[in-house]
Amino acid sequence: SLDLPVSAYYKPRGRYRADSLIHWMSLKAKDNQIYLGITTTDISATKGGYADWGLMGLGYCPGNAAVASNFRVKDKSQFWKVAIHELGHTSGLPHCPVKTCFMRDAEGKDNTEQEIEFCEKCKAFLIEKGWRM
């Protein structure tokens, strides 16, 4: 357990900037390591015309760091889907148009209850990257 860096705090909205958090973690990661930050704190990032868009997670795509927050997840038992989604990004997976895939874009909503598995295309990509499914 680590304290979130003060430098990532966005005082006007009382949130932590997800982009700052993953940058901070990426500097800590050694070769062949991926850092996944898990928090209950509200996080945000710039998206489209919004300077401070609240979100459930953010990950470098591809990269060595991601952050997932359960703050916006309605059913906390579904939170693992947010974490696995962000880890998918670190392996290089973009958002997927299949609505039941773990890699779908949340589009500003909590859709975790609709997500049931990686679709065949995403699963094949991850297996090629060394994931065991």
Side-chain angles (χ1 to χ4, degrees):
S1 177
L2 298 172
D3 290 332
L4 296 174
V6 175
S7 62
Y9 188 68
Y10 184 67
K11 190 174 181 178
R13 297 292 297 268
R15 305 174 163 159
Y16 283 83
R17 297 288 300 182
D19 46 355
S20 296
L21 292 172
I22 61 175
H23 175 74
W24 175 70
M25 288 185 292
S26 74
L27 297 175
K28 295 182 173 303
K30 296 176 178 58
D31 289 343
N32 298 316
Q33 283 186 332
I34 295 174
Y35 271 45
L36 174 63
I38 303 290
T39 185
T40 59
T41 304
D42 198 12
I43 60 175
S44 64
T46 301
K47 180 177 180 176
Y50 297 94
D52 189 56
W53 179 265
L55 38 82
M56 293 186 284
L58 186 70
Y60 284 141
C61 186
N64 63 354
V67 62
S69 169
N70 75 355
F71 185 85
R72 295 174 182 276
V73 180
K74 289 179 236 146
D75 179 353
K76 304 301 186 209
S77 72
Q78 302 290 313
F79 175 62
W80 65 273
K81 295 176 183 179
V82 176
I84 203 163
H85 172 100
E86 299 310 332
L87 287 172
H89 282 318
T90 65
S91 290
L93 264 178
H95 286 139
C96 178
V98 177
K99 297 300 182 192
T100 57
C101 182
F102 295 143
M103 292 309 299
R104 78 178 287 184
D105 187 343
E107 298 173 338
K109 300 176 188 132
D110 176 0
N111 298 311
T112 53
E113 291 181 3
Q114 298 168 10
E115 299 164 1
I116 57 172
E117 64 186 344
F118 286 110
C119 71
E120 290 304 315
K121 184 177 177 184
C122 290
K123 189 183 299 183
F125 179 94
L126 292 171
I127 289 170
E128 187 176 304
K129 293 290 185 178
W131 286 40
R132 289 188 220 138
M133 305 289 216

